[in-house]
Amino acid sequence: MSELSQMRQEDVLPLIVSQLAEYGYAQLAQVVAEQTHTSVTIKPSSRLSEMLYIAQEESVEIEPTDHSKLQQGNTSGAMEEDDDDDDDDDEDEEMQDASAGATGATGTETSEGGDTNAKTKGSITKRPVMIRLNLDTDPKSSYRTKGPNLKTVYTTTHKEPVTCTTFSKDGRYAASGSADTSLKILDVNKMKLVDHDGGNDVHPVIRTLYDHTTPVTDCDFHPNGLVLAASSDTVVKLYDLSKPSVKRSFRYLQDSHPINSVSFHPSGDFLLVGSEAETVRIYDVKTLQCFTPKAFAAPPPPPTNRQSGGSDESAASAAAAQHQHQVQQQGPHRGGINHIEYAPTGSVFISASQDGSIKVWDAISGKVVRTIEGAHSGKGRMYSGATSATISKNGRYILSGGMDSTSKLWDLGSGKLIHSFLGATQKTEKQSTVFSYNEDYVFSSDESNNTIVCWDSRSGTLVKRYAGHQGLIRSVAASPTENGIISCGDDNRVRFWCTPTASAAAAAAANAQRQQQGHGHGQQQQQQQQQGHQGYQQGHQHQGSYGGGPRSP
């Protein structure tokens, strides 16, 4: 194999060191770093394992829309649900130059799953199976009965309700936006340390931004982790977090509709914008030039012959109905866009609309490749229909939420409903429904009791609730690298949840780093003492030989 087809040694060694630390071999990672002269901070990361997994994955293509399948009724496989603060006023700190904060792939776990046959309406059909999710929709199959053991390890507050949260792609940072027009940038590792250090000398809020003049509606990190896009009213601002001021901002010039959602392309070159308008906007991040997908140019209706009657009128009516169906499937939304997001591969993006539909778009041609009509219904105080939608890492499944108090899992290829996630009321505010980092679980919120709800993604079974918020929860975001979530709501609070193991591991790593620094300082002092002692001996030897002593001539 030629050197051009391999990664450089200086790029591979840090990945090996971080992977060893991720597996719990911190001391071994330190030894490897020292022996290979790898100058890196020992921080657990599964990036090497993820890169190897992605390399083994086969590419997934989206099949053309089969309208005959979409016209058929959907069958739900929902399962029954199981029964089941301290403020931070840290001063703003300058965000450190994270040159090592390169984009990391999101963590996944793999396992093989086999197809299961089940009778549906008298015929034998093959159940869809998620390769990466290891999804098995057979209720008789084994599934998880317990959710991850998450607890609140850090809480910070805004002055008004917190409206949105997000993680950076490498999981190192998190951000929250509020109705008080401010944004907070948080260091994830420092939030874990608060639980052990009691907040002593730990300041997770590393930047607070006050540049917006209206409530923040959404935010998203650039893949490099150093740029944040945040929307409010008709404005989107891009923040360079390595500098104290706004890097670049642009106004939604095409119309005056409020912006609901923003999403960076995985390359970082483009930014999706979804608003109360029915149109999708794509901005070039460097030039701020705006593009509109071609799908909004609906095909003309078929010609009609008014002089004809009988069968001709029936044919014309059928042609008009077919045209209307084509417009619904391949044309624009018929309502505002609540949520918009690129798929992990960047080849497609997905939009959830107030008209209740979900559309999947080809990111290059701008054409609609899949439409799920009537995915969600219901109308809240400000939002209606489908309020969130995301595509699984393997590109084959859609996870959505809406104002009908239901989250749903869909087969992207056919548009068929696999199963619903029931047990969480959401009828007032925009719903946030997300996968866990490894897609084993689905998280959302329940406005009836202000809890975060966790379901098993394979079976749709409600497995756990997390209580802590004292008001309606507006947003839930999942870490892309570990079992951790960040939530916010009308109690003006942002809560970071993680497992006790992750919190303890962060504390242990911090202690090891402090000891290493202390050991290094001790070695430096010892070396200085040895050098001084040697100098003292040499001085005495010189004095005996040449300083006029007994042996001097």
Side-chain angles (χ1 to χ4, degrees):
M1 183 179 293
S2 65
E3 294 184 358
L4 294 177
S5 62
Q6 302 180 39
M7 292 180 64
R8 297 179 303 172
Q9 177 177 325
E10 54 267 31
D11 294 331
V12 175
L13 289 175
L15 295 175
I16 295 175
V17 171
S18 299
Q19 190 69 50
L20 288 172
E22 173 71 13
Y23 289 152
Y25 302 108
Q27 294 182 351
L28 179 59
Q30 182 64 41
V31 171
V32 173
E34 293 176 354
Q35 293 296 322
T36 58
H37 305 288
T38 303
S39 178
V40 295
T41 300
I42 305 300
K43 183 176 181 180
S45 172
S46 60
R47 188 180 179 193
L48 177 60
S49 175
E50 293 154 3
M51 293 174 66
L52 293 173
Y53 180 83
I54 293 173
Q56 294 175 352
E57 282 290 291
E58 296 181 355
S59 59
V60 178
E61 296 182 358
I62 298 178
E63 300 176 357
T65 304
D66 188 340
H67 299 299
S68 62
K69 290 184 179 180
L70 293 176
Q71 289 176 335
Q72 299 174 0
N74 293 331
T75 303
S76 173
M79 306 292 294
E80 297 181 359
E81 72 168 90
D82 286 350
D83 294 333
D84 192 282
D85 305 349
D86 51 328
D87 299 345
D88 178 79
D89 297 325
D90 297 334
E91 295 291 334
D92 295 345
E93 298 180 342
E94 194 70 25
M95 188 169 186
Q96 299 178 355
D97 184 13
S99 59
T103 305
T106 54
T108 56
E109 291 181 1
T110 65
S111 55
E112 298 295 327
D115 293 345
T116 302
N117 294 333
K119 291 185 178 181
T120 304
K121 295 183 179 180
S123 61
I124 301 297
T125 60
K126 184 173 290 187
R127 297 266 187 174
V129 175
M130 284 190 185
I131 294 178
R132 231 168 187 170
L133 296 187
N134 190 26
L135 178 70
D136 188 345
T137 59
D138 186 352
K140 295 182 180 180
S141 65
S142 60
Y143 54 85
R144 292 174 178 81
T145 58
K146 295 182 180 180
N149 182 23
L150 303 180
K151 69 172 185 176
T152 300
V153 296
Y154 177 74
T155 302
T156 185
T157 61
H158 286 263
K159 295 179 180 178
E160 294 185 28
V162 192
T163 55
C164 58
T165 56
T166 188
F167 280 91
S168 62
K169 304 303 183 290
D170 58 6
R172 296 177 60 191
Y173 302 105
S176 62
S178 171
D180 65 8
T181 73
S182 72
L183 288 148
K184 285 190 176 185
I185 312 300
L186 305 113
D187 187 300
V188 173
N189 197 55
K190 290 183 178 179
M191 287 193 288
K192 296 176 185 176
L193 295 178
V194 171
D195 189 45
H196 288 267
D197 293 355
N200 298 329
D201 299 326
V202 179
H203 305 286
V205 179
I206 55 180
R207 178 75 70 82
T208 302
L209 308 170
Y210 299 98
D211 299 278
H212 287 273
T213 58
T214 55
V216 179
T217 56
D218 195 22
C219 55
D220 189 41
F221 277 97
H222 188 279
N224 66 11
L226 298 177
V227 175
L228 180 74
S231 61
S232 65
D233 196 19
T234 58
V235 175
V236 176
K237 292 186 177 181
L238 299 179
Y239 296 91
D240 185 346
L241 301 179
S242 63
K243 299 178 181 179
S245 60
V246 177
K247 178 183 179 182
R248 187 178 294 172
S249 64
F250 59 91
R251 191 170 292 276
Y252 199 48
L253 300 175
Q254 283 65 34
D255 55 63
S256 59
H257 294 80
I259 298 171
N260 295 326
S261 182
V262 293
S263 175
F264 274 110
H265 188 274
S267 68
D269 294 335
F270 303 99
L271 181 72
L272 277 175
V273 174
S275 73
E276 290 293 315
E278 300 173 356
T279 56
V280 173
R281 307 292 185 191
I282 305 176
Y283 287 87
D284 186 304
V285 173
K286 295 181 180 179
T287 65
L288 299 185
Q289 184 176 0
C290 179
F291 303 92
T292 301
K294 299 177 182 178
F296 296 125
T304 58
N305 186 358
R306 297 184 178 179
Q307 297 180 352
S308 301
S311 60
D312 290 340
E313 291 183 358
S314 299
S317 178
Q322 178 63 25
H323 171 261
Q324 179 64 25
H325 179 72
Q326 184 179 6
V327 171
Q328 290 179 355
Q329 293 297 318
Q330 302 179 358
H333 286 292
R334 302 180 304 281
I337 297 173
N338 290 326
H339 182 81
I340 196 164
E341 181 179 309
Y342 275 108
T345 60
S347 59
V348 299
F349 62 86
I350 192 168
S351 57
S353 172
Q354 296 175 8
D355 64 12
S357 70
I358 296 171
K359 290 182 181 287
V360 181
W361 309 72
D362 186 301
I364 298 177
S365 67
K367 295 182 179 180
V368 178
V369 297
R370 176 74 63 231
T371 295
I372 301 177
E373 283 290 333
H376 293 276
S377 60
K379 184 174 179 61
R381 185 171 63 89
M382 295 179 60
Y383 301 93
S384 59
T387 56
S388 68
T390 185
I391 296 177
S392 63
K393 293 181 177 66
N394 64 7
R396 299 178 182 178
Y397 300 88
I398 297 173
L399 176 66
S400 67
M403 300 305 298
D404 53 3
S405 297
T406 307
S407 298
K408 298 179 180 180
L409 190 66
W410 309 83
D411 178 79
L412 192 150
S414 65
K416 291 291 186 178
L417 178 66
I418 297 176
H419 55 236
S420 298
F421 303 94
L422 304 176
T425 302
Q426 199 75 298
K427 295 183 178 180
T428 303
E429 293 293 338
K430 183 177 178 180
Q431 187 178 27
S432 178
T433 303
V434 295
F435 281 119
S436 64
Y437 82 105
N438 54 10
E439 297 183 339
D440 283 344
Y441 300 99
V442 169
F443 295 103
S444 189
S445 58
D446 188 344
E447 68 180 36
S448 66
N449 52 22
N450 303 324
T451 61
I452 298 172
V453 185
C454 175
W455 293 275
D456 178 357
S457 63
R458 295 161 176 78
S459 65
T461 302
L462 194 156
V463 294
K464 198 159 189 176
R465 292 178 182 269
Y466 306 94
H469 281 280
Q470 302 302 314
L472 187 144
I473 300 173
R474 298 285 193 98
S475 176
V476 178
S479 168
T481 59
E482 62 183 339
N483 266 325
I485 58 176
I486 189 168
S487 58
C488 64
D490 285 357
D491 58 1
N492 302 356
R493 300 197 172 214
V494 179
R495 288 180 174 270
F496 174 67
W497 312 69
C498 71
T499 62
T501 303
S503 181
N511 290 332
Q513 186 174 6
R514 284 194 291 264
Q515 292 176 1
Q516 180 183 353
Q517 292 174 350
H519 180 65
H521 181 66
Q523 284 183 333
Q524 184 178 4
Q525 288 182 335
Q526 184 178 2
Q527 185 177 6
Q528 291 175 351
Q529 291 175 356
Q530 290 177 349
Q531 290 176 350
H533 182 65
Q534 291 175 356
Y536 173 79
Q537 290 180 334
Q538 291 174 358
H540 273 266
Q541 290 174 354
H542 291 167
Q543 186 177 9
S545 301
Y546 306 106
R551 297 183 181 179
S552 65

Short mmCIF file of all heavy atoms in Angstrom, two decimals, residues 371-403:
data_model
loop_
_atom_site.label_atom_id
_atom_site.label_comp_id
_atom_site.label_asym_id
_atom_site.label_seq_id
_atom_site.Cartn_x
_atom_site.Cartn_y
_atom_site.Cartn_z
N THR A 371 -41.67 12.04 0.59
CA THR A 371 -42.63 12.84 1.35
C THR A 371 -43.51 11.91 2.16
O THR A 371 -44.06 10.95 1.63
CB THR A 371 -43.50 13.71 0.44
OG1 THR A 371 -42.69 14.68 -0.23
CG2 THR A 371 -44.57 14.44 1.25
N ILE A 372 -43.63 12.20 3.44
CA ILE A 372 -44.56 11.46 4.30
C ILE A 372 -45.68 12.43 4.66
O ILE A 372 -45.51 13.32 5.51
CB ILE A 372 -43.87 10.94 5.57
CG1 ILE A 372 -42.70 10.03 5.20
CG2 ILE A 372 -44.86 10.19 6.45
CD1 ILE A 372 -41.91 9.52 6.38
N GLU A 373 -46.81 12.28 3.98
CA GLU A 373 -47.96 13.16 4.23
C GLU A 373 -48.66 12.77 5.52
O GLU A 373 -48.78 11.59 5.84
CB GLU A 373 -48.96 13.08 3.07
CG GLU A 373 -48.53 13.84 1.82
CD GLU A 373 -48.57 15.35 2.03
OE1 GLU A 373 -49.36 15.81 2.87
OE2 GLU A 373 -47.78 16.05 1.38
N GLY A 374 -49.11 13.77 6.27
CA GLY A 374 -49.86 13.50 7.50
C GLY A 374 -49.07 12.76 8.54
O GLY A 374 -49.62 11.96 9.29
N ALA A 375 -47.76 13.01 8.60
CA ALA A 375 -46.93 12.32 9.59
C ALA A 375 -47.38 12.65 11.01
O ALA A 375 -47.40 11.79 11.89
CB ALA A 375 -45.47 12.70 9.39
N HIS A 376 -47.73 13.92 11.24
CA HIS A 376 -48.19 14.36 12.56
C HIS A 376 -49.31 15.38 12.39
O HIS A 376 -49.40 16.06 11.36
CB HIS A 376 -47.05 14.98 13.37
CG HIS A 376 -45.99 14.01 13.75
ND1 HIS A 376 -46.08 13.21 14.87
CD2 HIS A 376 -44.80 13.71 13.16
CE1 HIS A 376 -45.00 12.46 14.96
NE2 HIS A 376 -44.21 12.73 13.92
N SER A 377 -50.13 15.49 13.40
CA SER A 377 -51.24 16.45 13.40
C SER A 377 -51.18 17.26 14.69
O SER A 377 -50.25 17.13 15.48
CB SER A 377 -52.58 15.72 13.27
OG SER A 377 -52.76 14.83 14.37
N GLY A 378 -52.21 18.06 14.93
CA GLY A 378 -52.28 18.83 16.16
C GLY A 378 -51.76 20.24 16.00
O GLY A 378 -50.96 20.54 15.11
N LYS A 379 -52.20 21.13 16.87
CA LYS A 379 -51.81 22.53 16.82
C LYS A 379 -51.61 23.04 18.24
O LYS A 379 -52.47 22.90 19.09
CB LYS A 379 -52.85 23.38 16.09
CG LYS A 379 -52.44 24.84 15.91
CD LYS A 379 -53.44 25.56 15.06
CE LYS A 379 -53.05 27.03 14.90
NZ LYS A 379 -51.76 27.21 14.24
N GLY A 380 -50.45 23.62 18.49
CA GLY A 380 -50.13 24.16 19.81
C GLY A 380 -50.27 25.66 19.86
O GLY A 380 -50.95 26.28 19.03
N ARG A 381 -49.58 26.27 20.83
CA ARG A 381 -49.68 27.71 21.02
C ARG A 381 -49.06 28.47 19.85
O ARG A 381 -49.58 29.48 19.40
CB ARG A 381 -48.99 28.10 22.33
CG ARG A 381 -49.12 29.56 22.71
CD ARG A 381 -48.61 29.79 24.12
NE ARG A 381 -47.19 29.48 24.22
CZ ARG A 381 -46.23 30.37 23.98
NH1 ARG A 381 -46.55 31.60 23.62
NH2 ARG A 381 -44.96 30.03 24.09
N MET A 382 -47.92 27.98 19.37
CA MET A 382 -47.23 28.64 18.26
C MET A 382 -46.93 27.69 17.10
O MET A 382 -46.72 28.14 15.98
CB MET A 382 -45.91 29.26 18.76
CG MET A 382 -46.07 30.37 19.76
SD MET A 382 -44.48 31.03 20.32
CE MET A 382 -43.78 31.63 18.77
N TYR A 383 -46.91 26.40 17.38
CA TYR A 383 -46.50 25.43 16.37
C TYR A 383 -47.63 24.43 16.10
O TYR A 383 -48.53 24.26 16.91
CB TYR A 383 -45.24 24.69 16.81
CG TYR A 383 -44.07 25.58 17.08
CD1 TYR A 383 -43.81 26.06 18.35
CD2 TYR A 383 -43.23 25.97 16.04
CE1 TYR A 383 -42.72 26.90 18.60
CE2 TYR A 383 -42.14 26.79 16.27
CZ TYR A 383 -41.89 27.25 17.56
OH TYR A 383 -40.82 28.07 17.79
N SER A 384 -47.53 23.76 14.97
CA SER A 384 -48.49 22.72 14.63
C SER A 384 -47.81 21.66 13.79
O SER A 384 -46.70 21.84 13.30
CB SER A 384 -49.67 23.33 13.84
OG SER A 384 -49.21 23.96 12.66
N GLY A 385 -48.52 20.51 13.64
CA GLY A 385 -48.02 19.45 12.78
C GLY A 385 -46.74 18.81 13.26
O GLY A 385 -46.54 18.56 14.45
N ALA A 386 -45.83 18.53 12.31
CA ALA A 386 -44.55 17.89 12.61
C ALA A 386 -43.57 18.96 13.10
O ALA A 386 -43.38 19.98 12.43
CB ALA A 386 -44.00 17.19 11.37
N THR A 387 -42.96 18.72 14.24
CA THR A 387 -42.08 19.74 14.84
C THR A 387 -40.61 19.35 14.84
O THR A 387 -39.76 20.20 15.08
CB THR A 387 -42.52 20.04 16.28
OG1 THR A 387 -42.54 18.82 17.03
CG2 THR A 387 -43.90 20.67 16.30
N SER A 388 -40.28 18.08 14.63
CA SER A 388 -38.87 17.68 14.55
C SER A 388 -38.75 16.44 13.68
O SER A 388 -39.68 15.63 13.61
CB SER A 388 -38.30 17.41 15.95
OG SER A 388 -38.89 16.27 16.53
N ALA A 389 -37.60 16.30 13.04
CA ALA A 389 -37.33 15.12 12.21
C ALA A 389 -35.83 14.99 12.02
O ALA A 389 -35.13 15.99 11.84
CB ALA A 389 -38.02 15.24 10.84
N THR A 390 -35.35 13.77 12.11
CA THR A 390 -33.93 13.50 11.93
C THR A 390 -33.76 12.16 11.23
O THR A 390 -34.62 11.28 11.34
CB THR A 390 -33.20 13.51 13.29
OG1 THR A 390 -31.80 13.36 13.09
CG2 THR A 390 -33.67 12.36 14.17
N ILE A 391 -32.65 12.00 10.52
CA ILE A 391 -32.37 10.76 9.79
C ILE A 391 -31.32 9.97 10.56
O ILE A 391 -30.34 10.54 11.06
CB ILE A 391 -31.87 11.07 8.36
CG1 ILE A 391 -32.99 11.77 7.57
CG2 ILE A 391 -31.46 9.79 7.64
CD1 ILE A 391 -32.58 12.18 6.17
N SER A 392 -31.52 8.66 10.66
CA SER A 392 -30.57 7.80 11.38
C SER A 392 -29.21 7.81 10.68
O SER A 392 -29.09 8.20 9.52
CB SER A 392 -31.10 6.37 11.47
OG SER A 392 -31.22 5.80 10.17
N LYS A 393 -28.19 7.35 11.39
CA LYS A 393 -26.84 7.39 10.87
C LYS A 393 -26.65 6.55 9.60
O LYS A 393 -25.82 6.87 8.76
CB LYS A 393 -25.84 6.94 11.95
CG LYS A 393 -25.75 7.91 13.12
CD LYS A 393 -24.75 7.41 14.13
CE LYS A 393 -24.58 8.39 15.28
NZ LYS A 393 -25.81 8.50 16.10
N ASN A 394 -27.41 5.47 9.49
CA ASN A 394 -27.27 4.64 8.29
C ASN A 394 -28.12 5.15 7.14
O ASN A 394 -28.12 4.57 6.06
CB ASN A 394 -27.59 3.18 8.58
CG ASN A 394 -29.04 2.97 9.00
OD1 ASN A 394 -29.86 3.88 8.95
ND2 ASN A 394 -29.35 1.76 9.42
N GLY A 395 -28.87 6.23 7.36
CA GLY A 395 -29.64 6.86 6.29
C GLY A 395 -30.90 6.13 5.89
O GLY A 395 -31.51 6.46 4.87
N ARG A 396 -31.37 5.17 6.70
CA ARG A 396 -32.52 4.37 6.29
C ARG A 396 -33.79 4.64 7.09
O ARG A 396 -34.85 4.15 6.73
CB ARG A 396 -32.17 2.88 6.41
CG ARG A 396 -31.02 2.46 5.53
CD ARG A 396 -30.68 0.99 5.71
NE ARG A 396 -29.53 0.59 4.89
CZ ARG A 396 -29.00 -0.61 4.88
NH1 ARG A 396 -29.49 -1.55 5.66
NH2 ARG A 396 -27.95 -0.88 4.11
N TYR A 397 -33.68 5.42 8.15
CA TYR A 397 -34.83 5.60 9.03
C TYR A 397 -34.99 7.05 9.44
O TYR A 397 -34.01 7.82 9.47
CB TYR A 397 -34.70 4.71 10.26
CG TYR A 397 -34.64 3.25 9.90
CD1 TYR A 397 -33.43 2.63 9.63
CD2 TYR A 397 -35.80 2.50 9.76
CE1 TYR A 397 -33.36 1.32 9.24
CE2 TYR A 397 -35.75 1.17 9.38
CZ TYR A 397 -34.53 0.58 9.12
OH TYR A 397 -34.48 -0.72 8.72
N ILE A 398 -36.21 7.44 9.71
CA ILE A 398 -36.55 8.80 10.13
C ILE A 398 -37.18 8.74 11.51
O ILE A 398 -38.08 7.94 11.76
CB ILE A 398 -37.55 9.45 9.14
CG1 ILE A 398 -36.91 9.58 7.75
CG2 ILE A 398 -37.99 10.82 9.65
CD1 ILE A 398 -37.89 10.06 6.69
N LEU A 399 -36.71 9.60 12.39
CA LEU A 399 -37.30 9.78 13.72
C LEU A 399 -37.96 11.15 13.75
O LEU A 399 -37.33 12.15 13.42
CB LEU A 399 -36.23 9.69 14.81
CG LEU A 399 -36.70 9.96 16.24
CD1 LEU A 399 -37.66 8.88 16.72
CD2 LEU A 399 -35.50 10.07 17.18
N SER A 400 -39.24 11.19 14.11
CA SER A 400 -39.97 12.46 14.08
C SER A 400 -40.79 12.65 15.34
O SER A 400 -41.08 11.70 16.07
CB SER A 400 -40.88 12.51 12.85
OG SER A 400 -41.93 11.54 12.96
N GLY A 401 -41.19 13.90 15.59
CA GLY A 401 -42.07 14.25 16.69
C GLY A 401 -43.05 15.31 16.24
O GLY A 401 -42.79 16.04 15.27
N GLY A 402 -44.18 15.41 16.93
CA GLY A 402 -45.19 16.38 16.52
C GLY A 402 -46.12 16.78 17.63
O GLY A 402 -46.02 16.30 18.77
N MET A 403 -47.06 17.65 17.29
CA MET A 403 -48.00 18.19 18.27
C MET A 403 -49.14 17.23 18.58
O MET A 403 -50.09 17.60 19.28
CB MET A 403 -48.57 19.52 17.75
CG MET A 403 -47.51 20.59 17.50
SD MET A 403 -46.45 20.93 18.92
CE MET A 403 -47.65 21.53 20.10
#
